[in-house]
CSV table of all heavy atoms in Angstrom, one decimal:
chain,number,residue,atom,x,y,z
C,20,PHE,N,86.2,104.3,19.5
C,20,PHE,CA,86.5,105.6,19.0
C,20,PHE,C,86.6,106.6,20.2
C,20,PHE,O,85.9,106.4,21.2
C,20,PHE,CB,85.6,106.1,18.0
C,20,PHE,CG,85.9,105.6,16.6
C,20,PHE,CD1,85.8,104.2,16.3
C,20,PHE,CD2,86.5,106.4,15.6
C,20,PHE,CE1,86.2,103.7,15.1
C,20,PHE,CE2,86.9,105.9,14.4
C,20,PHE,CZ,86.7,104.5,14.1
C,33,HIS,N,76.4,99.1,9.3
C,33,HIS,CA,76.6,99.5,7.9
C,33,HIS,C,76.5,98.1,7.1
C,33,HIS,O,75.5,97.8,6.5
C,33,HIS,CB,78.0,100.1,7.7
C,33,HIS,CG,78.2,100.8,6.4
C,33,HIS,ND1,79.1,101.8,6.2
C,33,HIS,CD2,77.6,100.6,5.2
C,33,HIS,CE1,79.0,102.2,5.0
C,33,HIS,NE2,78.2,101.5,4.3
C,41,LYS,N,69.1,87.8,13.3
C,41,LYS,CA,68.0,86.9,13.6
C,41,LYS,C,68.1,86.4,15.1
C,41,LYS,O,67.2,86.4,15.9
C,41,LYS,CB,68.0,85.7,12.7
C,41,LYS,CG,66.8,84.8,12.9
C,41,LYS,CD,66.8,83.6,12.1
C,41,LYS,CE,65.8,82.6,12.6
C,41,LYS,NZ,66.0,81.2,12.2
C,56,PHE,N,52.0,93.3,23.3
C,56,PHE,CA,52.2,94.4,22.4
C,56,PHE,C,51.7,94.0,21.0
C,56,PHE,O,51.7,92.8,20.7
C,56,PHE,CB,53.6,95.0,22.4
C,56,PHE,CG,54.7,93.9,22.1
C,56,PHE,CD1,55.1,93.6,20.9
C,56,PHE,CD2,55.2,93.2,23.2
C,56,PHE,CE1,56.1,92.6,20.7
C,56,PHE,CE2,56.2,92.2,23.0
C,56,PHE,CZ,56.6,91.9,21.7
C,58,LYS,N,52.6,96.1,18.1
C,58,LYS,CA,53.4,96.8,17.1
C,58,LYS,C,54.8,96.9,17.6
C,58,LYS,O,55.1,97.1,18.8
C,58,LYS,CB,52.8,98.2,17.0
C,58,LYS,CG,52.6,98.6,15.6
C,58,LYS,CD,51.7,99.8,15.4
C,58,LYS,CE,50.4,99.4,14.6
C,58,LYS,NZ,49.6,100.6,14.3
C,60,MET,N,58.3,99.2,17.1
C,60,MET,CA,58.7,100.6,16.7
C,60,MET,C,60.2,100.8,16.8
C,60,MET,O,60.8,100.3,17.7
C,60,MET,CB,57.9,101.6,17.5
C,60,MET,CG,58.3,103.0,17.2
C,60,MET,SD,57.4,104.2,18.3
C,60,MET,CE,58.2,105.7,18.0
C,69,PRO,N,67.0,95.1,13.3
C,69,PRO,CA,66.5,94.3,14.4
C,69,PRO,C,65.0,94.4,14.6
C,69,PRO,O,64.3,93.4,14.9
C,69,PRO,CB,67.2,94.8,15.6
C,69,PRO,CG,67.7,96.2,15.3
C,69,PRO,CD,67.9,96.2,13.8
C,99,ARG,N,61.7,116.3,19.2
C,99,ARG,CA,63.1,116.8,19.0
C,99,ARG,C,64.0,115.9,19.8
C,99,ARG,O,63.8,115.6,20.9
C,99,ARG,CB,63.2,118.2,19.4
C,99,ARG,CG,64.5,118.9,19.1
C,99,ARG,CD,64.4,120.3,18.7
C,99,ARG,NE,64.0,120.4,17.3
C,99,ARG,CZ,64.4,121.3,16.5
C,99,ARG,NH1,65.1,122.3,17.0
C,99,ARG,NH2,64.1,121.3,15.3
C,106,GLU,N,76.1,115.1,17.5
C,106,GLU,CA,76.2,116.3,18.4
C,106,GLU,C,75.4,117.4,17.8
C,106,GLU,O,75.8,118.5,17.7
C,106,GLU,CB,77.7,116.7,18.6
C,106,GLU,CG,78.5,115.7,19.3
C,106,GLU,CD,79.9,116.1,19.6
C,106,GLU,OE1,80.4,116.9,18.8
C,106,GLU,OE2,80.4,115.7,20.6
C,107,ARG,N,74.2,117.1,17.4
C,107,ARG,CA,73.2,118.1,17.0
C,107,ARG,C,71.8,117.6,17.2
C,107,ARG,O,71.6,116.4,17.3
C,107,ARG,CB,73.5,118.5,15.5
C,107,ARG,CG,73.2,117.4,14.6
C,107,ARG,CD,73.3,117.9,13.1
C,107,ARG,NE,73.3,116.8,12.2
C,107,ARG,CZ,72.2,116.2,11.8
C,107,ARG,NH1,71.0,116.5,12.3
C,107,ARG,NH2,72.2,115.2,11.0
C,115,ARG,N,50.4,109.7,12.4
C,115,ARG,CA,49.4,109.2,13.3
C,115,ARG,C,48.6,108.1,12.8
C,115,ARG,O,47.9,107.3,13.5
C,115,ARG,CB,48.4,110.4,13.6
C,115,ARG,CG,48.7,111.3,14.7
C,115,ARG,CD,47.6,112.3,14.8
C,115,ARG,NE,48.2,113.5,15.5
C,115,ARG,CZ,48.3,113.6,16.8
C,115,ARG,NH1,47.8,112.7,17.6
C,115,ARG,NH2,48.8,114.7,17.3
C,130,PHE,N,71.5,101.1,19.8
C,130,PHE,CA,72.2,101.6,20.9
C,130,PHE,C,71.4,102.3,21.9
C,130,PHE,O,70.5,103.1,21.5
C,130,PHE,CB,73.3,102.6,20.5
C,130,PHE,CG,74.6,101.9,20.0
C,130,PHE,CD1,74.8,101.5,18.7
C,130,PHE,CD2,75.6,101.6,21.0
C,130,PHE,CE1,76.0,100.9,18.3
C,130,PHE,CE2,76.8,101.1,20.6
C,130,PHE,CZ,77.0,100.7,19.2
C,142,GLU,N,58.0,110.2,23.5
C,142,GLU,CA,57.2,111.4,23.3
C,142,GLU,C,56.2,111.1,22.1
C,142,GLU,O,55.0,111.5,22.2
C,142,GLU,CB,58.1,112.5,23.0
C,142,GLU,CG,57.4,113.9,23.3
C,142,GLU,CD,58.4,115.0,23.0
C,142,GLU,OE1,59.5,115.0,23.4
C,142,GLU,OE2,57.9,116.0,22.4
C,151,LEU,N,53.5,102.2,25.9
C,151,LEU,CA,54.8,101.6,25.7
C,151,LEU,C,54.8,100.3,26.5
C,151,LEU,O,54.6,100.3,27.7
C,151,LEU,CB,55.9,102.5,26.2
C,151,LEU,CG,57.3,102.0,26.1
C,151,LEU,CD1,57.8,101.8,24.7
C,151,LEU,CD2,58.3,103.0,26.8
C,154,MET,N,61.3,98.4,26.0
C,154,MET,CA,62.3,98.9,25.1
C,154,MET,C,63.5,98.0,25.1
C,154,MET,O,64.1,97.6,26.1
C,154,MET,CB,62.8,100.3,25.5
C,154,MET,CG,61.6,101.3,25.7
C,154,MET,SD,62.2,103.0,26.0
C,154,MET,CE,61.8,103.8,24.4
C,158,ILE,N,72.8,97.1,22.1
C,158,ILE,CA,73.9,97.5,22.9
C,158,ILE,C,73.6,98.6,23.8
C,158,ILE,O,73.1,99.7,23.4
C,158,ILE,CB,75.1,97.9,22.1
C,158,ILE,CG1,75.5,96.7,21.2
C,158,ILE,CG2,76.3,98.3,22.9
C,158,ILE,CD1,76.6,97.0,20.1
C,162,PHE,N,77.8,103.1,30.9
C,162,PHE,CA,78.5,104.2,31.6
C,162,PHE,C,77.9,105.5,31.2
C,162,PHE,O,78.3,106.6,31.7
C,162,PHE,CB,80.0,104.2,31.2
C,162,PHE,CG,80.3,104.3,29.7
C,162,PHE,CD1,80.4,105.5,29.0
C,162,PHE,CD2,80.4,103.1,28.9
C,162,PHE,CE1,80.6,105.5,27.7
C,162,PHE,CE2,80.6,103.1,27.6
C,162,PHE,CZ,80.7,104.3,26.9
C,163,GLN,N,76.8,105.5,30.4
C,163,GLN,CA,76.1,106.7,30.1
C,163,GLN,C,74.7,106.6,30.8
C,163,GLN,O,74.3,105.6,31.3
C,163,GLN,CB,75.9,106.9,28.5
C,163,GLN,CG,77.3,107.2,27.9
C,163,GLN,CD,77.2,107.5,26.4
C,163,GLN,OE1,77.7,106.7,25.6
C,163,GLN,NE2,76.6,108.6,26.1
C,164,GLN,N,74.0,107.8,30.7
C,164,GLN,CA,72.8,107.9,31.7
C,164,GLN,C,71.5,107.3,31.2
C,164,GLN,O,70.6,107.2,32.0
C,164,GLN,CB,72.7,109.4,32.0
C,164,GLN,CG,72.4,110.2,30.8
C,164,GLN,CD,72.3,111.7,31.1
C,164,GLN,OE1,72.7,112.1,32.2
C,164,GLN,NE2,71.9,112.5,30.2
C,167,GLY,N,69.7,104.4,33.2
C,167,GLY,CA,69.2,104.8,34.5
C,167,GLY,C,67.9,105.6,34.3
C,167,GLY,O,66.9,105.4,35.1
C,169,LEU,N,65.7,105.6,31.9
C,169,LEU,CA,64.5,104.8,31.5
C,169,LEU,C,64.0,103.8,32.6
C,169,LEU,O,62.8,103.7,32.8
C,169,LEU,CB,64.9,104.1,30.2
C,169,LEU,CG,65.2,104.9,29.0
C,169,LEU,CD1,65.6,104.1,27.8
C,169,LEU,CD2,64.1,105.9,28.6
C,171,ASP,N,64.4,104.2,35.8
C,171,ASP,CA,63.8,105.0,36.8
C,171,ASP,C,62.3,105.3,36.5
C,171,ASP,O,61.5,105.5,37.4
C,171,ASP,CB,64.5,106.3,37.1
C,171,ASP,CG,65.8,106.1,37.8
C,171,ASP,OD1,66.0,105.0,38.4
C,171,ASP,OD2,66.6,107.1,37.9
C,172,ARG,N,62.0,105.3,35.2
C,172,ARG,CA,60.6,105.5,34.9
C,172,ARG,C,59.8,104.2,35.0
C,172,ARG,O,58.6,104.2,34.6
C,172,ARG,CB,60.5,106.0,33.4
C,172,ARG,CG,61.0,107.4,33.2
C,172,ARG,CD,60.8,107.8,31.8
C,172,ARG,NE,61.0,109.2,31.6
C,172,ARG,CZ,60.3,109.9,30.6
C,172,ARG,NH1,59.3,109.4,29.9
C,172,ARG,NH2,60.5,111.2,30.5
C,177,GLU,N,65.4,95.9,28.1
C,177,GLU,CA,66.3,94.8,27.9
C,177,GLU,C,67.4,95.2,27.0
C,177,GLU,O,67.2,95.7,25.9
C,177,GLU,CB,65.5,93.6,27.3
C,177,GLU,CG,64.5,93.0,28.2
C,177,GLU,CD,65.0,92.2,29.3
C,177,GLU,OE1,66.2,91.9,29.3
C,177,GLU,OE2,64.2,91.8,30.2
C,178,SER,N,68.7,95.0,27.4
C,178,SER,CA,69.8,95.3,26.6
C,178,SER,C,70.6,94.0,26.4
C,178,SER,O,70.9,93.3,27.4
C,178,SER,CB,70.7,96.4,27.2
C,178,SER,OG,69.9,97.6,27.4
Side-chain angles (χ1 to χ4, degrees):
F20 276 69
H33 195 156
K41 183 186 168 199
F56 52 92
K58 227 162 243 188
M60 175 180 170
R99 185 141 279 213
E106 295 183 330
R107 62 172 172 80
R115 271 181 204 276
F130 274 90
E142 204 178 314
L151 178 66
M154 305 187 107
I158 300 170
F162 56 90
Q163 290 183 249
Q164 60 187 8
L169 299 177
D171 283 350
R172 288 183 169 213
E177 294 287 348
S178 300

